[in-house]
Amino acid sequence: LFICLTLSGQGSVICGDECHLLLPGDLMILDCMEAHYYRSESDCWKFLWIQTTGAAIHGLFRVLAPKGIFYRHMHDTSFIHDLYRRLIPLIENPTPLGNIDTSELIEGFLYQLARLSLTENDTPYPSVIHHTLDYIREHLFEDITVESLASRFNYSVYHFNRLFKKHMGISPYQYIINLRLHKAVGLLLSTNKSIAEIARMTNFPSIGRLSSCFRRQYGMTPLQYRKSRVNKNS
Protein backbone atom coordinates (compact mmCIF):
# COMPACT_ATOMS: atom_id res chain seq x y z
CA LEU A 1 0.00 0.00 0.00
CA PHE A 2 1.05 3.58 -0.66
CA ILE A 3 -0.17 5.95 2.07
CA CYS A 4 0.21 9.68 1.40
CA LEU A 5 -0.89 12.70 3.46
CA THR A 6 -0.38 16.15 1.92
CA LEU A 7 1.04 18.66 4.39
CA SER A 8 1.43 21.68 2.11
CA GLY A 9 1.38 22.58 -1.56
CA GLN A 10 -0.49 20.26 -3.89
CA GLY A 11 0.19 17.22 -6.03
CA SER A 12 -1.49 14.64 -8.21
CA VAL A 13 -1.67 10.87 -8.00
CA ILE A 14 -2.67 9.15 -11.25
CA CYS A 15 -3.79 5.53 -11.20
CA GLY A 16 -5.48 4.04 -14.26
CA ASP A 17 -7.77 6.70 -15.71
CA GLU A 18 -8.22 8.37 -12.32
CA CYS A 19 -6.27 11.53 -11.54
CA HIS A 20 -6.60 12.80 -7.97
CA LEU A 21 -5.61 16.29 -6.89
CA LEU A 22 -4.24 16.25 -3.33
CA LEU A 23 -4.50 19.45 -1.32
CA PRO A 24 -3.29 20.04 2.27
CA GLY A 25 -5.02 17.58 4.60
CA ASP A 26 -5.92 15.13 1.81
CA LEU A 27 -5.11 11.49 2.58
CA MET A 28 -4.80 8.89 -0.17
CA ILE A 29 -4.14 5.17 0.10
CA LEU A 30 -3.78 2.95 -2.95
CA ASP A 31 -2.41 -0.43 -3.92
CA CYS A 32 1.14 0.44 -5.01
CA MET A 33 1.33 -2.77 -7.05
CA GLU A 34 -1.12 -1.14 -9.47
CA ALA A 35 0.47 1.09 -12.13
CA HIS A 36 0.48 4.67 -10.87
CA TYR A 37 2.61 7.77 -10.63
CA TYR A 38 2.53 11.05 -8.79
CA ARG A 39 3.85 14.56 -9.37
CA SER A 40 3.95 17.97 -7.74
CA GLU A 41 1.44 20.59 -8.89
CA SER A 42 3.07 23.46 -6.99
CA ASP A 43 6.54 24.83 -6.28
CA CYS A 44 6.79 22.58 -3.25
CA TRP A 45 4.58 19.60 -2.47
CA LYS A 46 5.31 18.39 1.06
CA PHE A 47 3.77 15.12 2.19
CA LEU A 48 4.12 12.24 4.62
CA TRP A 49 4.21 8.83 2.98
CA ILE A 50 4.81 5.18 3.67
CA GLN A 51 4.77 1.99 1.62
CA THR A 52 3.80 -1.25 3.29
CA THR A 53 2.52 -4.70 2.47
CA GLY A 54 1.13 -7.84 4.11
CA ALA A 55 -1.88 -10.12 3.78
CA ALA A 56 -3.71 -8.72 6.83
CA ILE A 57 -3.06 -5.12 5.77
CA HIS A 58 -4.30 -5.74 2.22
CA GLY A 59 -7.37 -7.50 3.61
CA LEU A 60 -8.22 -4.46 5.74
CA PHE A 61 -7.60 -2.18 2.77
CA ARG A 62 -10.11 -4.11 0.64
CA VAL A 63 -12.70 -3.50 3.35
CA LEU A 64 -11.76 0.16 3.63
CA ALA A 65 -11.57 0.79 -0.13
CA PRO A 66 -13.33 -1.87 -2.21
CA LYS A 67 -12.65 0.16 -5.38
CA GLY A 68 -8.91 0.07 -4.76
CA ILE A 69 -8.34 3.71 -3.78
CA PHE A 70 -9.07 5.43 -0.47
CA TYR A 71 -9.35 9.21 -0.52
CA ARG A 72 -10.48 11.54 2.24
CA HIS A 73 -9.90 15.10 3.33
CA MET A 74 -8.75 14.72 6.93
CA HIS A 75 -9.83 17.56 9.17
CA ASP A 76 -7.96 16.04 12.13
CA THR A 77 -4.57 14.60 11.11
CA SER A 78 -3.10 14.22 14.60
CA PHE A 79 -3.47 10.44 14.72
CA ILE A 80 -1.74 10.15 11.33
CA HIS A 81 1.22 12.22 12.54
CA ASP A 82 1.30 10.03 15.64
CA LEU A 83 1.48 6.91 13.45
CA TYR A 84 4.53 8.26 11.60
CA ARG A 85 6.19 9.39 14.84
CA ARG A 86 5.86 5.88 16.30
CA LEU A 87 6.89 4.12 13.10
CA ILE A 88 10.17 5.99 12.53
CA PRO A 89 12.22 4.34 15.36
CA LEU A 90 10.81 0.91 14.45
CA ILE A 91 11.89 1.33 10.83
CA GLU A 92 15.29 2.81 11.65
CA ASN A 93 16.10 -0.04 14.07
CA PRO A 94 14.35 -3.14 12.70
CA THR A 95 13.99 -6.18 14.97
CA PRO A 96 11.70 -9.26 14.80
CA LEU A 97 9.58 -7.84 17.61
CA GLY A 98 9.67 -4.41 16.01
CA ASN A 99 8.27 -5.87 12.79
CA ILE A 100 5.27 -7.16 14.75
CA ASP A 101 4.81 -3.74 16.37
CA THR A 102 4.99 -2.08 12.93
CA SER A 103 2.33 -4.40 11.55
CA GLU A 104 0.04 -3.77 14.54
CA LEU A 105 0.46 0.01 14.22
CA ILE A 106 -0.49 0.05 10.54
CA GLU A 107 -3.38 -2.37 11.03
CA GLY A 108 -4.64 -0.20 13.90
CA PHE A 109 -4.33 2.87 11.69
CA LEU A 110 -6.48 1.24 8.98
CA TYR A 111 -9.04 0.11 11.58
CA GLN A 112 -9.21 3.66 12.91
CA LEU A 113 -9.78 5.03 9.42
CA ALA A 114 -12.58 2.52 8.88
CA ARG A 115 -14.29 3.62 12.09
CA LEU A 116 -13.61 7.31 11.71
CA SER A 117 -16.67 9.50 11.39
CA LEU A 118 -15.86 13.15 10.79
CA THR A 119 -18.07 15.68 12.55
CA GLU A 120 -17.95 19.41 12.86
CA ASN A 121 -16.38 18.98 16.29
CA ASP A 122 -13.37 17.26 14.70
CA THR A 123 -12.38 20.26 12.62
CA PRO A 124 -11.98 24.03 12.63
CA TYR A 125 -13.65 24.15 9.21
CA PRO A 126 -17.36 25.02 9.06
CA SER A 127 -19.59 22.09 8.16
CA VAL A 128 -20.61 23.87 4.95
CA ILE A 129 -17.04 23.39 3.64
CA HIS A 130 -17.18 19.63 4.38
CA HIS A 131 -20.53 19.29 2.65
CA THR A 132 -19.45 21.42 -0.30
CA LEU A 133 -16.31 19.35 -0.94
CA ASP A 134 -18.29 16.12 -0.72
CA TYR A 135 -20.98 17.46 -3.04
CA ILE A 136 -18.47 18.71 -5.63
CA ARG A 137 -16.64 15.39 -5.77
CA GLU A 138 -19.90 13.42 -6.06
CA HIS A 139 -21.33 15.68 -8.79
CA LEU A 140 -18.12 16.90 -10.43
CA PHE A 141 -19.20 16.23 -14.00
CA GLU A 142 -22.68 17.67 -13.62
CA ASP A 143 -23.61 21.32 -14.14
CA ILE A 144 -22.34 22.83 -10.89
CA THR A 145 -22.25 26.60 -10.53
CA VAL A 146 -21.14 28.77 -7.65
CA GLU A 147 -24.67 30.19 -7.55
CA SER A 148 -26.22 26.72 -7.19
CA LEU A 149 -23.73 25.76 -4.46
CA ALA A 150 -24.37 28.97 -2.52
CA SER A 151 -28.13 28.46 -2.81
CA ARG A 152 -27.86 24.80 -1.73
CA PHE A 153 -26.15 25.81 1.50
CA ASN A 154 -28.22 28.98 2.07
CA TYR A 155 -25.44 31.49 1.50
CA SER A 156 -25.21 34.54 -0.71
CA VAL A 157 -22.78 34.08 -3.59
CA TYR A 158 -20.49 36.74 -2.12
CA HIS A 159 -20.29 35.18 1.36
CA PHE A 160 -20.04 31.63 -0.01
CA ASN A 161 -17.10 32.59 -2.26
CA ARG A 162 -15.42 34.41 0.61
CA LEU A 163 -15.85 31.50 3.06
CA PHE A 164 -14.65 28.88 0.58
CA LYS A 165 -11.57 30.84 -0.45
CA LYS A 166 -10.71 31.55 3.18
CA HIS A 167 -10.52 27.85 4.03
CA MET A 168 -9.42 26.30 0.71
CA GLY A 169 -7.18 29.04 -0.65
CA ILE A 170 -8.94 29.18 -4.05
CA SER A 171 -12.43 30.02 -5.26
CA PRO A 172 -15.04 27.24 -5.56
CA TYR A 173 -15.11 27.81 -9.33
CA GLN A 174 -11.35 27.29 -9.65
CA TYR A 175 -11.51 24.26 -7.35
CA ILE A 176 -14.07 22.63 -9.66
CA ILE A 177 -12.03 23.51 -12.77
CA ASN A 178 -8.84 22.09 -11.19
CA LEU A 179 -10.54 18.77 -10.38
CA ARG A 180 -11.97 18.50 -13.91
CA LEU A 181 -8.57 19.31 -15.43
CA HIS A 182 -6.96 16.56 -13.38
CA LYS A 183 -9.56 14.11 -14.60
CA ALA A 184 -8.77 15.28 -18.14
CA VAL A 185 -5.07 14.64 -17.54
CA GLY A 186 -5.82 11.08 -16.47
CA LEU A 187 -7.88 10.47 -19.61
CA LEU A 188 -5.20 12.02 -21.85
CA LEU A 189 -2.51 9.75 -20.44
CA SER A 190 -4.41 6.50 -20.05
CA THR A 191 -6.81 6.45 -23.05
CA ASN A 192 -6.86 7.23 -26.76
CA LYS A 193 -10.04 9.28 -26.47
CA SER A 194 -10.21 12.40 -28.59
CA ILE A 195 -9.96 15.86 -27.03
CA ALA A 196 -13.65 16.38 -27.89
CA GLU A 197 -14.61 13.22 -26.00
CA ILE A 198 -12.50 14.21 -23.01
CA ALA A 199 -14.04 17.70 -22.98
CA ARG A 200 -17.51 16.14 -22.95
CA MET A 201 -16.63 13.58 -20.24
CA THR A 202 -15.21 16.27 -17.95
CA ASN A 203 -18.12 18.66 -18.61
CA PHE A 204 -16.25 21.41 -20.42
CA PRO A 205 -18.68 23.09 -22.84
CA SER A 206 -16.26 22.90 -25.78
CA ILE A 207 -12.78 21.85 -26.89
CA GLY A 208 -11.83 25.52 -26.87
CA ARG A 209 -12.88 25.98 -23.26
CA LEU A 210 -10.98 22.86 -22.15
CA SER A 211 -7.91 23.97 -24.10
CA SER A 212 -7.89 27.50 -22.67
CA CYS A 213 -8.24 26.25 -19.07
CA PHE A 214 -5.67 23.53 -19.71
CA ARG A 215 -3.17 25.97 -21.23
CA ARG A 216 -3.58 28.33 -18.28
CA GLN A 217 -2.86 25.49 -15.83
CA TYR A 218 -0.16 23.52 -17.71
CA GLY A 219 1.25 25.96 -20.24
CA MET A 220 0.22 23.88 -23.27
CA THR A 221 -2.86 22.48 -24.98
CA PRO A 222 -4.24 19.03 -24.09
CA LEU A 223 -2.93 17.60 -27.38
CA GLN A 224 0.53 19.07 -26.82
CA TYR A 225 0.51 17.66 -23.29
CA ARG A 226 -0.41 14.17 -24.52
CA LYS A 227 2.32 14.24 -27.20
CA SER A 228 4.93 15.49 -24.72
CA ARG A 229 4.16 12.67 -22.30
CA VAL A 230 4.22 10.04 -25.06
CA ASN A 231 7.61 11.35 -26.27
CA LYS A 232 8.96 11.41 -22.72
CA ASN A 233 7.82 7.84 -22.05
CA SER A 234 9.36 6.72 -25.35
Side-chain angles (χ1 to χ4, degrees), residues 28-124:
M28 170 167 282
I29 309 175
L30 56 82
D31 185 348
C32 54
M33 298 304 291
E34 297 293 330
H36 70 281
Y37 67 92
Y38 44 96
R39 62 166 181 262
S40 176
E41 299 291 357
S42 59
D43 291 338
C44 181
W45 178 28
K46 186 176 180 181
F47 58 91
L48 292 175
W49 70 278
I50 189 170
Q51 279 187 263
T52 184
T53 190
I57 289 171
H58 278 271
L60 278 173
F61 179 66
R62 283 192 293 272
V63 173
L64 184 65
K67 294 184 178 180
I69 295 180
F70 175 87
Y71 166 86
R72 193 163 198 171
H73 182 75
M74 306 300 296
H75 305 292
D76 179 5
T77 61
S78 59
F79 79 100
I80 305 175
H81 286 271
D82 183 60
L83 168 70
Y84 280 83
R85 180 183 59 79
R86 296 169 67 185
L87 281 176
I88 287 172
L90 295 174
I91 294 170
E92 290 179 341
N93 302 288
T95 65
L97 186 58
N99 289 340
I100 295 173
D101 291 339
T102 299
S103 178
E104 289 181 350
L105 276 174
I106 295 173
E107 287 178 29
F109 167 74
L110 294 176
Y111 273 124
Q112 191 167 355
L113 276 181
R115 293 195 307 263
L116 187 63
S117 175
L118 293 174
T119 65
E120 192 169 0
N121 293 329
D122 296 320
T123 169

Side-chain angles (χ1 to χ4, degrees), residues 176-223:
I176 293 167
I177 294 298
N178 286 353
L179 291 184
R180 288 176 176 170
L181 286 174
H182 278 75
K183 177 65 175 180
V185 166
L187 292 170
L188 284 168
L189 299 181
S190 63
T191 74
N192 293 319
K193 294 184 183 299
S194 68
I195 307 303
E197 287 178 292
I198 291 174
R200 185 175 64 254
M201 291 174 68
T202 51
N203 203 22
F204 283 92
S206 66
I207 298 176
R209 182 61 179 155
L210 170 61
S211 293
S212 64
C213 291
F214 202 97
R215 185 189 291 274
R216 193 176 301 117
Q217 180 80 353
Y218 297 104
M220 62 183 78
T221 67
L223 189 57

Side-chain angles (χ1 to χ4, degrees), residues 132-202:
T132 299
L133 296 180
D134 289 341
Y135 183 85
I136 288 173
R137 289 184 182 274
E138 289 173 8
H139 303 273
L140 183 60
F141 305 117
E142 299 174 16
D143 293 328
I144 307 173
T145 64
V146 177
E147 289 78 10
S148 66
L149 288 172
S151 176
R152 170 173 288 275
F153 299 109
N154 297 316
Y155 276 77
S156 70
V157 172
Y158 170 79
H159 284 98
F160 181 78
N161 262 314
R162 191 165 177 268
L163 183 67
F164 192 96
K165 191 167 185 177
K166 174 184 175 182
H167 291 287
M168 299 304 298
I170 57 176
S171 70
Y173 170 78
Q174 193 58 53
Y175 182 81
I176 293 167
I177 294 298
N178 286 353
L179 291 184
R180 288 176 176 170
L181 286 174
H182 278 75
K183 177 65 175 180
V185 166
L187 292 170
L188 284 168
L189 299 181
S190 63
T191 74
N192 293 319
K193 294 184 183 299
S194 68
I195 307 303
E197 287 178 292
I198 291 174
R200 185 175 64 254
M201 291 174 68
T202 51

